[in-house]
Amino acid sequence: MKNLMTLAFTLGSALLASSAQAQSCANDKLYLSANYEISQRVADSHTRHDSHTHEHAHDKGQSFNKQQLVLHRYNNQVVHMYPDSHYGDWWTKTANNRLMLNRFFPDNQRVIEYQADELSSKISWQSKYQLLNSDFINNMVVVKETGTGCEQSQQRALTQGDYSYQLTWLPKWSLVTSYQVFRGDEKVAQWQLVNYQVNKKHIADYIAKLSDYRATDYADIGDNENDPFLAKMINQGFVEHKATGFYNSQGDNISKQHSH
Amino acid sequence: MNSPWVTASALSTLLFSSVAASAVLPKVQTDNQWFSNAQQTVTNKTKQVNKSKAKNVILFVGDGMGVSTLTAARILDGQMKGNSGEEGYLSFEMFPYSAQVKTYNVDAQTPDSAGTMTAMMSGVKTDIGVLGVSEKAERGNCNSVAGNELVTALELAEIKGLATGVVSTARITHATPAAAYAKSADRNWEDVSDMPEEAVTQGCEDIASQLINFEKNLEARFPGVDVDGIEVAMGGGRRHFLPKDEAANSADAASSVEGDRTDGRNLVTEWQTQYPEGQYVMDQAGFDALDASSTSKVFGLFNESHMQYEADRANDIAGEPSLTQITTKAIDVLDNNDKGFMLVVESGRVDHGHHAGSAFNALTDTVEFAKAIQAAVDNTDPEETLILVTADHSHVFTIAGYPKRGNPILGKVVAVGETEPTLASDDMPYTTLGYTNGRGYRNLGDETNADATYNDDPVVGRQDLSQVDTQSSGYHQEALIPTSSETHAGEDVALHASGPGAHLSQGVIEQSVIFHIINKSLGLMANN
């Protein structure tokens, strides 16, 4: 299958596309799916809604929340699916370069639509597309670089106050392979790429399926008290899980911080 | 006892009392501006001449525009003009007649727009969530619609040969505008993809399709009647008229696929085929290019979903007209009919501003609504046009504390004689405006779209506002009870009236009375 490229990723070694596929990375990165494992120290995770669903791991006596993140890219659309939390965010960059968010709930086959202008213009497309803002990445110092072209891999680092950040990523794919946040010597969060693949049709089918879910404009939720799904939202609150993008140990969205 | 002697005695007593009172009132009282202004108001009332028959009726509905919204918007409007604010009036508050309207639905103490607007348009109160059908219809049950359809004032006006129009800043298929033209067991059946398959199979028609087929459907329900369809329909909601096909996207599309319809129909092109002389517009440029004097029919869909808040209108992709512009244009088209017209105008996003917990957006949209009403006053003859202004329901929106006169209505409470904010018993300042429930506090700076609140978790309870600019467009008031969306409230709303038949708007009335005021004034029914 021409578009299928699945590469296992091993921590500590560079993950590179084959040379035969390397030439097409500029186009292929537009139709990419990537699986991440996110670990956040419990005290820093700020995942109050669904922490009970996460696997708890222990590292040096610290408790970590773990959850999966599946990233899908399809041209001007990006999907962040959180299987453990049973919801996902489907972002679209509009013709006037604003972001439109559809939050979907596969278990209910429902979508809540935020109109493009309902989201702060401070939310950057990059923070959705590549999980980190380019400004933030560019502020980091390149400590090691291997490979060339599509096979180029960079290790970058940044220290800000008590916090330090270590990033490994593939610039030509705009793809994070590893990202770690430390407070002093203590690791408080990690995003780890597990694998990724390029499959345009698969992602197109996936997005088509999402578009078949029953959609409600968020502005209309208050007028739908009789709809059990929406009534629950009105009375008990929305699933406001804050795991999109990367967070520092203070629970602040780094993507937001660096998107101004 | 009813003897002439007693009557003369009573008159004598009244005259004596009047003279005596005039003589005893001190100059400090009679020279007082409040006194003389109020006296003049009553004098003016005694000179009012009531006419009963109207040529045209315009029904303005501010969705969610309760009485506290009117008061706060009035003050904000005045303060934006450099005044204290409290002494002013929104344009329609100058109308000579008003009434207090009970809003509950047949099955709900606190109502929704579907049931309330159905009452106004048909004279029949009904259940929450249903459109144009009586309470005997069951929400969500297609089969329960047949036989329970109600006839609306707009339909009667159409049958009478008047020009008709429906405009809104919400989706034109949304509950309030839809209650003027559609019959549906569920307000959410805006297009075929919103309906359960069973309802489609049973033959129920989605709301968008009913708008396009209004003429055909009305003629089918009244055999022998020949109508020419709705002349003006403008608002948001393009998604419900377009097929789910990227090829049907407009230049204004925000979504990758703009249309929602799963039946492949393009209702815009169907409308154009049905009315080849009509003008379809979807942006500000197209709207501006309309020549009202030569246009017989207008169909305008300016947004995929709801139109923008007035304060956020500049951020639209292809540009949208204001409600004032839409109202003016609608009247200019409709008044081409010598028999007269009936127009329904909804300010749909007052409701959404409140749901989002943003007094700023709710109030600035109310101020724009008042401008639209003034435009209607300016563009119609008061001798022949009845203008009614009301709301479908209110919100849990309060004006509280003891702020001094002229204190910024969006600001923190500053007491009489003070310059610093009053502190509550928790030693923190508080705002005059607040909500009983909702998503609560936000400090979004210069954000002009209330719905930005939906991107963050609810924050309810007290916040330290000492360093917060609560007058900024992005500030959202504190709320007591955490809910994902602020809710409607159940108290009465106001009805303001001007023109022929306006004097029928008096007292405390059921919402269904509004239909009968329209009917009486326009003479819609033969036995009127």
Side-chain angles (χ1 to χ4, degrees):
Chain A
M1 185 183 295
K2 178 177 182 295
N3 287 323
L4 180 63
M5 177 178 65
T6 304
L7 300 172
F9 184 79
T10 305
L11 182 63
S13 65
L15 174 65
L16 304 174
S18 69
S19 57
Q21 293 151 337
Q23 302 303 317
S24 62
C25 63
N27 184 59
D28 283 350
K29 73 175 186 178
L30 300 174
Y31 310 104
L32 174 149
S33 294
N35 286 295
Y36 286 90
E37 183 175 275
I38 303 173
S39 301
Q40 288 178 286
R41 207 180 68 172
V42 171
D44 302 283
S45 63
H46 289 243
T47 54
R48 58 187 174 85
H49 287 289
D50 51 1
S51 58
H52 64 282
T53 67
H54 299 159
E55 175 190 349
H56 285 249
H58 295 272
D59 184 5
K60 293 181 182 177
Q62 302 289 342
S63 179
F64 282 79
N65 282 332
K66 284 193 172 184
Q67 69 167 320
Q68 307 295 311
L69 163 64
V70 186
L71 166 72
H72 299 287
R73 296 175 184 163
Y74 192 83
N75 267 333
N76 63 336
Q77 298 174 78
V78 165
V79 175
H80 293 176
M81 176 64 202
Y82 300 92
D84 304 311
S85 301
H86 305 275
Y87 88 99
D89 287 342
W90 170 20
W91 300 86
T92 302
K93 186 167 69 170
T94 67
N96 61 347
N97 286 321
R98 306 194 79 177
L99 296 191
M100 180 172 173
L101 170 62
N102 287 345
R103 183 160 289 169
F104 59 94
F105 300 86
D107 296 349
N108 306 85
Q109 300 198 1
R110 296 289 292 263
V111 167
I112 303 299
E113 301 175 326
Y114 298 71
Q115 294 310 295
D117 48 10
E118 292 170 5
L119 295 165
S120 167
S121 58
K122 295 180 177 62
I123 299 174
S124 81
W125 170 244
Q126 292 165 340
S127 70
K128 307 306 169 193
Y129 186 80
Q130 61 190 28
L131 303 180
L132 279 176
N133 286 330
S134 294
D135 288 347
F136 179 69
I137 295 172
N138 292 337
N139 278 338
M140 303 179 89
V141 176
V142 178
V143 292
K144 187 178 179 183
E145 186 167 298
T146 59
T148 59
C150 289
E151 299 180 356
Q152 182 186 25
S153 175
Q154 290 181 339
Q155 291 181 29
R156 289 173 174 256
L158 178 70
T159 298
Q160 289 180 329
D162 294 339
Y163 294 91
S164 59
Y165 310 94
Q166 294 182 5
L167 169 69
T168 305
W169 94 311
L170 309 176
K172 300 302 181 187
W173 291 86
S174 300
L175 189 67
V176 171
T177 54
S178 173
Y179 178 72
Q180 296 174 314
V181 180
F182 295 86
R183 180 167 51 206
D185 293 334
E186 189 181 320
K187 185 165 69 178
V188 294
Q190 174 176 297
W191 278 255
Q192 185 63 57
L193 179 67
V194 178
N195 56 48
Y196 71 96
Q197 68 176 15
V198 176
N199 188 335
K200 187 174 181 180
K201 183 179 183 309
H202 173 76
I203 303 170
D205 291 346
Y206 179 72
I207 288 178
K209 188 171 71 176
L210 297 182
S211 70
D212 286 337
Y213 288 175
R214 183 177 165 195
T216 303
D217 187 327
Y218 208 122
D220 294 319
I221 285 180
D223 291 327
N224 281 283
E225 75 304 317
N226 82 315
D227 181 318
F229 177 77
L230 299 178
K232 186 177 177 185
M233 205 169 278
I234 293 169
N235 295 319
Q236 296 176 19
F238 199 22
V239 179
E240 305 278 359
H241 184 49
K242 304 281 284 187
T244 51
F246 292 146
Y247 291 79
N248 66 19
S249 59
Q250 295 164 311
D252 297 324
N253 188 322
I254 292 169
S255 303
K256 283 185 178 178
Q257 283 180 348
H258 295 272
S259 62
H260 293 197
Chain B
M1 254 165 91
N2 194 22
S3 72
W5 166 249
V6 172
T7 303
S9 172
L11 181 62
S12 169
T13 302
L14 183 64
L15 286 171
F16 175 77
S17 299
S18 177
V19 171
S22 175
V24 298
L25 289 180
K27 193 172 173 55
V28 66
Q29 186 171 355
T30 55
D31 284 356
N32 185 287
Q33 193 76 34
W34 294 108
F35 187 93
S36 55
N37 286 352
Q39 189 176 41
Q40 186 61 50
T41 298
V42 173
T43 301
N44 292 344
K45 293 279 185 190
T46 65
K47 295 177 180 173
Q48 283 178 187
V49 176
N50 299 326
K51 290 182 65 177
S52 295
K53 294 301 175 191
K55 177 182 178 185
N56 317 305
V57 169
I58 308 176
L59 173 62
F60 283 94
V61 181
D63 200 316
M65 191 182 68
V67 172
S68 57
T69 303
L70 295 180
T71 306
R74 174 200 309 152
I75 295 172
L76 179 64
D77 185 43
Q79 291 181 342
M80 288 192 299
K81 294 170 180 169
N83 304 320
S84 290
E86 298 86 354
E87 68 289 339
Y89 294 90
L90 295 170
S91 60
F92 52 93
E93 293 180 318
M94 302 288 282
F95 287 2
Y97 290 97
S98 64
Q100 186 175 318
V101 183
K102 296 157 69 178
T103 64
Y104 64 94
N105 296 140
V106 169
D107 61 347
Q109 197 168 58
T110 296
D112 86 327
S113 302
T116 53
M117 189 60 174
T118 296
M120 286 188 259
M121 292 306 299
S122 70
V124 176
K125 277 191 171 239
T126 189
D127 286 346
I128 195 167
V130 300
L131 288 173
V133 294
S134 78
E135 64 183 282
K136 291 180 180 175
E138 180 188 353
R139 184 169 187 179
N141 182 350
C142 169
N143 277 340
S144 70
V145 169
N148 292 312
E149 299 96 334
L150 304 169
V151 180
T152 70
L154 193 88
E155 291 168 326
L156 290 172
E158 183 73 21
I159 291 170
K160 189 177 169 69
L162 305 187
T164 54
V166 184
V167 301
S168 175
T169 50
R171 295 190 297 271
I172 199 66
T173 49
H174 209 233
T176 304
Y181 61 82
K183 328 290 170 195
S184 180
D186 197 305
R187 57 177 286 167
N188 290 329
W189 292 356
E190 294 182 63
D191 73 59
V192 69
S193 72
D194 300 321
M195 299 173 66
E197 196 170 328
E198 180 184 44
V200 178
T201 305
Q202 290 170 351
C204 279
E205 184 179 14
D206 64 82
I207 294 167
S209 181
Q210 288 190 53
L211 177 61
I212 299 304
N213 290 334
F214 178 83
E215 177 181 348
K216 184 175 71 177
N217 291 346
L218 190 59
E219 289 175 347
R221 286 168 53 217
F222 296 92
V225 165
D226 182 21
V227 297
D228 61 359
I230 294 173
E231 274 73 14
V232 178
M234 290 191 279
R238 204 161 47 228
R239 59 171 55 171
H240 298 301
F241 296 86
L242 297 178
K244 194 171 185 174
D245 179 356
E246 190 174 352
N249 281 6
S250 69
D252 193 40
S255 302
S256 50
V257 179
E258 194 176 21
D260 279 355
R261 296 196 68 87
T262 49
D263 57 3
R265 291 173 65 191
N266 185 326
L267 300 188
V268 171
T269 55
E270 284 187 23
W271 183 87
Q272 289 172 317
T273 302
Q274 193 174 355
Y275 302 110
E277 77 282 12
Q279 298 289 317
Y280 170 71
V281 291
M282 47 67 66
D283 59 10
Q284 181 79 58
F287 177 86
D288 291 343
L290 287 172
D291 179 1
S293 63
S294 63
T295 301
S296 58
K297 278 191 169 55
V298 179
F299 186 27
L301 297 173
F302 302 109
N303 204 300
E304 269 182 48
S305 186
H306 304 296
M307 292 177 66
Q308 314 288 354
Y309 289 106
E310 173 60 22
D312 199 44
R313 196 159 53 85
N315 290 322
D316 187 65
I317 294 174
E320 291 181 353
S322 68
L323 186 60
T324 301
Q325 292 172 323
I326 290 173
T327 302
T328 303
K329 188 80 77 175
I331 293 170
D332 285 350
V333 172
L334 294 173
D335 67 10
N336 293 335
N337 186 326
D338 292 336
K339 291 182 178 177
F341 65 83
M342 179 173 178
L343 172 64
V344 176
V345 180
E346 186 208 22
S347 176
R349 307 227 66 196
V350 175
D351 181 59
H352 297 151
H354 279 320
H355 277 310
S358 166
F360 175 85
N361 278 107
L363 299 182
T364 49
D365 264 43
T366 302
V367 170
E368 170 60 20
F369 185 50
K371 289 178 184 173
I373 295 161
Q374 184 59 49
V377 171
D378 295 340
N379 287 281
T380 55
D381 182 347
E383 294 295 312
E384 60 183 24
T385 303
L386 169 64
I387 299 179
L388 300 169
V389 182
T390 189
D392 46 359
H393 56 75
S394 67
H395 276 266
V396 293
F397 177 60
T398 58
I399 305 173
Y402 296 102
K404 63 185 177 182
R405 175 78 185 277
N407 197 53
I409 190 65
L410 294 169
K412 300 162 195 163
V413 170
V414 177
V416 176
E418 302 294 332
T419 56
E420 294 299 316
T422 302
L423 300 183
S425 55
D426 58 8
D427 287 332
M428 293 193 289
Y430 57 100
T431 55
T432 305
L433 303 178
Y435 291 95
T436 302
N437 59 36
R439 301 178 72 83
Y441 167 80
R442 296 283 189 269
N443 183 18
L444 303 179
D446 60 359
E447 176 64 61
T448 50
N449 186 341
D451 298 351
T453 188
Y454 298 129
N455 199 35
D456 292 305
D457 293 336
V459 178
V460 293
R462 292 285 285 140
Q463 305 294 316
D464 185 356
L465 305 178
S466 304
Q467 304 303 317
V468 176
D469 178 9
T470 65
Q471 297 181 62
S472 65
S473 57
Y475 178 76
H476 291 232
Q477 284 69 24
E478 293 166 302
L480 173 64
I481 300 167
T483 55
S484 256
S485 185
E486 182 264 6
T487 72
H488 298 174
E491 79 267 18
D492 300 346
V493 296
L495 169 65
H496 296 85
S498 171
H503 61 284
L504 302 175
S505 302
Q506 296 186 50
V508 180
I509 60 174
E510 296 286 0
Q511 215 153 22
S512 46
V513 172
I514 292 173
F515 165 85
H516 294 280
I517 295 172
I518 297 169
N519 174 47
K520 192 78 176 173
S521 304
L522 280 180
L524 294 175
M525 293 189 292
N527 59 351
N528 187 42

